[in-house]
């Protein structure tokens, strides 16, 4: 499966709602806003229009605006609130039965009624298709979905899972029209029928065009009359030029650190400005534990002692990221600094050499760092070359970098061909569970052959079952400490979030928060 990673997300963090969830926000019927539409440029691609397949940032951007979920994340919030549902709650103290009641008179954009059967169909379909590039991997605890009546949905879980409300509030919880989708196959026509604030009018290689869904009934208050999303397919220079030429109102995801710095230096004189937020996006080096070199703990520890994150961020990212010292990023409850505490912030050749000596390694360690050019940010290749140089400058390593197109990259990782490779991650929902269970639980998305019985058998199940999310901190701390001791991954950086916007466009700050939901409806143009 493809990890949801690529570029950025305002901090926050809170507990998950385990009791009754009541309505929030103002309901609206999708009436449009200012008589203007907004044009946004993005270097990411949208890899899917079918929610049973897409598990990438571009696709979830589309899903969050075209489809409804039972719950959603209001702007600036990290606790899910009702959206298509009137209310949802766990029906038991063990968090294994989750019941939702739908709002009255919900409709899809084509006029079809949305009932509990459509909700059941959407989840059953996603799990049956089980697309390797889709979100089915998020629901190992979902046993079955029941529909006692047209307005009631009951999720039966096979294991306590207090994070379930957040999972169904994400793009993975998108509700599709059972009359418009095949129960056992993906949609192939690049169209989409949902009940969200927008309709997808056009989708091709160049752009996606969205208009306001007049049938929408939910919490979003639409501030524009439509959004056009232009695709630049990783061409950051072309995206920057389109912004300068007034061809797009917003440049989102993919401007280089240098491009962002240029805009900031202009001080608004160019008619555009940078909107900044912190982010829960992270990037790691991943180690294949079965590799004859990277599989040696001493090699991994030596690298942890040698990498200079501060220099890397200064030289490569020009301050557009921050050093990351654990697998759970800052701003997410449960975060600690396990790698800082264990290996320090400054490189230590002496400690790295001792780690190698303890492993019985005397000569230079020959190593290839595997990269992919744009999937995890436009500077990824440069970043790994800088890391290789840091390792080589110690005199302890002979490291080089190989960059491979993403499709081949993913296949080679699955086949175990790489010893050390880069992976980025944007959370599915703003909880420490989203930074741990996918990496170390069942169906490990890193494909690095790592397992730890304490993590998989005790810590992940305990944290998932705890409805009071603040009460999970001690267990998440222990989990992070184990990872720092065994180094199956090496955290490198945590992103800041940037978008560049023309000075007559408003509302972008409401689109960039820890929920990772980009809310088209908050955008307006003066």
């Amino acid at each position: 499966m493809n990890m949801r990673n690529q570029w950025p997300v305002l901090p926050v963090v809170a507990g998950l709602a385990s009791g009754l969830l009541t309505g929030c926000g103002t309901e609206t019927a999708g009436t449009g806003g200012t008589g203007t539409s907004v044009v946004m440029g993005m270097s990411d691609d949208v890899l899917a229009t079918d929610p049973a397949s897409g598990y990438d940032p571009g696709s979830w951007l589309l899903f969050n605006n075209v489809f409804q979920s039972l719950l959603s994340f209001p702007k600036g919030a990290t606790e899910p609130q009702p959206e298509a549902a009137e209310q949802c709650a766990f029906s038991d103290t063990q968090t294994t039965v989750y019941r939702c009641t739908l709002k009255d008179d919900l409709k899809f954009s084509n006029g079809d009624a949305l009932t509990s059967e459509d909700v059941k169909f959407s989840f059953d379909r996603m799990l049956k298709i089980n697309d390797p590039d889709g979100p089915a991997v998020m629901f190992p605890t979902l046993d079955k979905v029941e529909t006692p009546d047209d307005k009631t949905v009951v999720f039966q879980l096979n294991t306590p899972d207090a994070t379930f409300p957040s999972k169904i509030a994400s793009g993975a919880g998108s509700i599709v029209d059972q009359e418009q989708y095949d129960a056992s196959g993906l949609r192939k026509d690049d169209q989409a029928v949902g009940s969200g604030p927008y309709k997808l009018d056009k989708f091709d290689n160049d752009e996606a065009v969205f208009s306001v869904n007049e049938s929408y009934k939910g919490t979003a208050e639409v501030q524009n009359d439509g959004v056009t999303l232009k695709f630049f397919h990783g061409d950051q220079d072309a995206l920057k030029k389109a912004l300068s030429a007034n061809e797009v109102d917003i440049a989102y995801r993919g401007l280089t650190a240098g491009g962002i710095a240029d805009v900031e230096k202009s001080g608004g004189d160019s008619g555009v400005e940078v909107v900044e937020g912190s982010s829960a996006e992270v990037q790691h080096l991943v180690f294949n534990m079965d590799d004859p070199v990277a599989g040696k703990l001493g090699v991994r520890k030596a690298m942890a002692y040698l990498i200079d994150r501060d220099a890397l961020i200064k030289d490569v990212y020009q301050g557009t990221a921050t050093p990351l010292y654990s697998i759970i990023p800052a701003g997410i409850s449960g975060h600690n600094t396990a790698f800082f505490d264990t290996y320090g912030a400054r490189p230590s050749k002496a400690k790295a050499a001792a780690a190698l000596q303890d492993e019985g390694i005397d000569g230079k360690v020959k190593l290839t760092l595997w990269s992919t050019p744009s999937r995890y940010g436009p500077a990824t290749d440069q970043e790994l070359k800088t890391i290789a140089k840091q390792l080589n400058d110690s005199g302890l390593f002979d490291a080089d970098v190989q960059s491979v197109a993403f499709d081949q990259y993913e296949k080679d990782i699955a086949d175990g061909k790489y010893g050390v490779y880069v992976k980025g991650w944007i959370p599915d929902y703003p909880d420490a569970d989203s930074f741990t269970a996918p990496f170390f639980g069942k169906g490990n998305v890193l494909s690095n052959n790592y397992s730890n019985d304490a993590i998989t058998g005790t810590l992940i199940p305990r944290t998932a079952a705890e409805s009071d999310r603040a009460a999970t901190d001690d267990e998440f701390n222990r989990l992070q400490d184990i990872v720092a001791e065994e180094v199956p991954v090496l955290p490198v950086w945590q992103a800041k979030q940037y978008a560049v916007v023309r000075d007559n466009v408003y509302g972008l700050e409401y689109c960039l928060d820890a929920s990772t939901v980009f809310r088209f409806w908050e955008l307006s143009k003066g």
Side-chain angles (χ1 to χ4, degrees):
M1 109 167 196
N2 288 332
M3 295 176 70
R4 284 194 63 228
N5 20 25
Q6 233 170 328
W7 274 54
V9 243
L10 285 156
V12 229
V13 157
L16 290 172
S18 60
L20 182 66
L21 293 170
T22 55
C24 150
T26 304
E27 284 194 13
T28 182
T31 55
T34 63
T36 58
S37 61
V38 177
V39 180
M40 186 166 83
M42 185 171 72
S43 68
D44 284 2
D45 291 328
V46 173
L47 301 181
T49 60
D50 188 330
S53 178
Y55 197 24
D56 60 280
S59 297
W60 278 34
L61 183 149
L62 184 151
F63 301 158
N64 286 324
N65 289 283
V66 172
F67 298 95
Q68 271 185 304
S69 299
L70 291 167
L71 308 172
S72 65
F73 292 102
K75 58 189 177 186
T78 55
E79 292 192 32
Q81 300 293 330
E83 172 59 23
E86 186 68 38
Q87 63 181 30
C88 292
F90 281 108
S91 302
D92 63 349
T93 58
Q94 297 299 313
T95 61
T96 56
V97 180
Y98 195 67
R99 180 183 297 266
C100 292
T101 304
L102 297 179
K103 288 184 170 75
D104 293 329
D105 303 321
L106 292 172
K107 292 182 179 180
F108 291 101
S109 59
N110 63 356
D112 289 351
L114 190 164
T115 71
S116 60
E117 287 297 327
D118 294 293
V119 179
K120 174 178 169 57
F121 174 85
S122 300
F123 282 91
D124 288 350
R125 173 178 183 266
M126 172 184 59
L127 294 174
K128 181 178 181 180
I129 292 172
N130 194 22
D131 189 83
D133 296 322
V137 69
M138 289 176 59
F139 295 98
T141 64
L142 179 55
D143 187 30
K144 61 182 178 179
V145 185
E146 299 172 334
T147 54
D149 56 57
D150 283 351
K151 288 186 61 181
T152 305
V153 184
V154 180
F155 297 93
Q156 299 282 353
L157 308 183
N158 54 39
T159 304
D161 185 2
T163 67
F164 188 75
S166 288
K167 292 175 180 177
I168 66 172
S170 73
S174 297
I175 303 167
V176 302
D177 184 348
Q178 62 183 322
E179 301 299 327
Q180 296 291 319
Y181 288 81
D182 184 343
S184 57
L186 295 174
R187 190 163 186 154
K188 303 293 186 183
D189 60 2
D190 289 334
Q191 296 184 30
V193 178
S195 58
Y198 291 86
K199 298 182 292 184
L200 180 64
D201 296 332
K202 175 187 176 184
F203 181 87
D204 59 28
N205 190 57
D206 298 320
E207 64 181 13
V209 179
F210 304 84
S211 61
V212 176
N213 175 17
E214 301 295 339
S215 299
Y216 169 69
K217 186 176 182 181
T219 60
E221 298 182 24
V222 181
Q223 303 296 316
N224 55 64
D225 280 350
V227 174
T228 296
L229 183 60
K230 291 187 175 293
F231 304 126
F232 288 83
H233 309 297
D235 190 339
Q236 295 89 22
D237 290 338
L239 177 56
K240 183 180 177 182
K241 288 177 183 177
L243 185 70
S244 300
N246 205 16
E247 296 171 2
V248 299
D249 300 309
I250 300 167
Y252 175 60
R253 295 182 64 87
L255 285 182
T256 63
I260 292 168
D262 288 345
V263 174
E264 290 183 316
K265 288 175 185 175
S266 72
D269 294 339
S270 58
V272 297
E273 61 181 347
V274 175
V275 177
E276 177 183 340
S278 58
S279 168
E281 181 186 3
V282 298
Q283 192 179 95
H284 306 312
L285 289 182
V286 181
F287 299 102
N288 179 355
M289 305 298 276
D290 289 347
D291 184 79
V293 179
K296 296 181 183 298
L297 179 59
V299 172
R300 303 194 301 274
K301 284 188 171 183
M303 293 178 65
Y305 280 123
L306 291 174
I307 290 178
D308 188 339
R309 294 169 177 82
D310 288 328
L312 182 72
I313 287 165
K314 177 178 179 290
D315 297 340
V316 177
Y317 289 101
Q318 300 183 36
T320 59
T322 58
L324 181 64
Y325 291 102
S326 193
I327 52 172
I328 299 172
I332 298 294
S333 183
H335 161 77
N336 73 10
T337 55
F339 277 80
F340 180 94
D341 300 339
T342 306
Y343 303 101
R346 307 303 302 167
S348 173
K349 177 180 175 179
K351 291 180 180 179
L356 293 175
Q357 189 173 25
D358 288 346
E359 194 70 58
I361 299 173
D362 294 324
K364 287 186 180 181
V365 178
K366 189 169 179 59
L367 196 67
T368 295
L369 308 181
W370 291 91
S371 181
T372 190
S374 61
R375 174 70 175 183
Y376 305 129
T380 305
D381 285 354
Q382 183 187 352
E383 172 193 338
L384 263 69
K385 289 175 182 176
T386 302
I387 290 174
K389 184 176 186 303
Q390 290 179 355
L391 297 175
N392 293 341
D393 285 350
S394 72
L396 302 173
F397 282 81
D398 178 10
D400 68 343
V401 175
Q402 296 289 331
S403 184
V404 179
F406 184 67
D407 288 348
Q408 187 62 45
Y409 185 78
E410 288 288 277
K411 292 175 184 175
D412 289 348
I413 289 172
D415 290 341
K417 293 183 178 180
Y418 302 157
V420 187
Y421 48 96
V422 65
K423 283 282 191 178
W425 184 254
I426 294 176
D428 301 310
Y429 45 94
D431 186 275
D433 181 81
S434 191
F435 296 91
T436 53
F439 294 170
F440 312 114
K442 183 180 178 181
N444 174 347
V445 300
L446 298 177
S447 300
N448 69 334
N449 306 300
Y450 173 71
S451 65
N452 178 283
D453 290 342
I455 292 177
T456 56
T458 303
L459 296 173
I460 287 178
R462 280 184 184 171
T463 55
E466 178 55 67
S467 58
D468 179 2
R469 302 309 289 161
T472 63
D473 285 358
D474 287 346
E475 279 146 333
F476 277 124
N477 280 331
R478 177 59 186 144
L479 192 158
Q480 290 167 94
D481 290 344
I482 291 172
V483 172
E485 291 164 11
E486 300 188 347
V487 204
V489 300
L490 181 58
V492 180
W493 55 250
Q494 177 175 351
K496 296 179 183 178
Q497 183 165 221
Y498 294 92
V500 182
V501 60
R502 303 207 67 81
D503 56 14
N504 65 333
V505 177
Y506 308 97
L508 191 62
E509 65 273 19
Y510 300 124
C511 303
L512 310 174
D513 62 35
S515 69
T516 74
V517 177
F518 194 101
R519 304 169 179 85
F520 281 170
W521 57 89
E522 296 289 354
L523 301 173
S524 63
K525 190 174 175 181

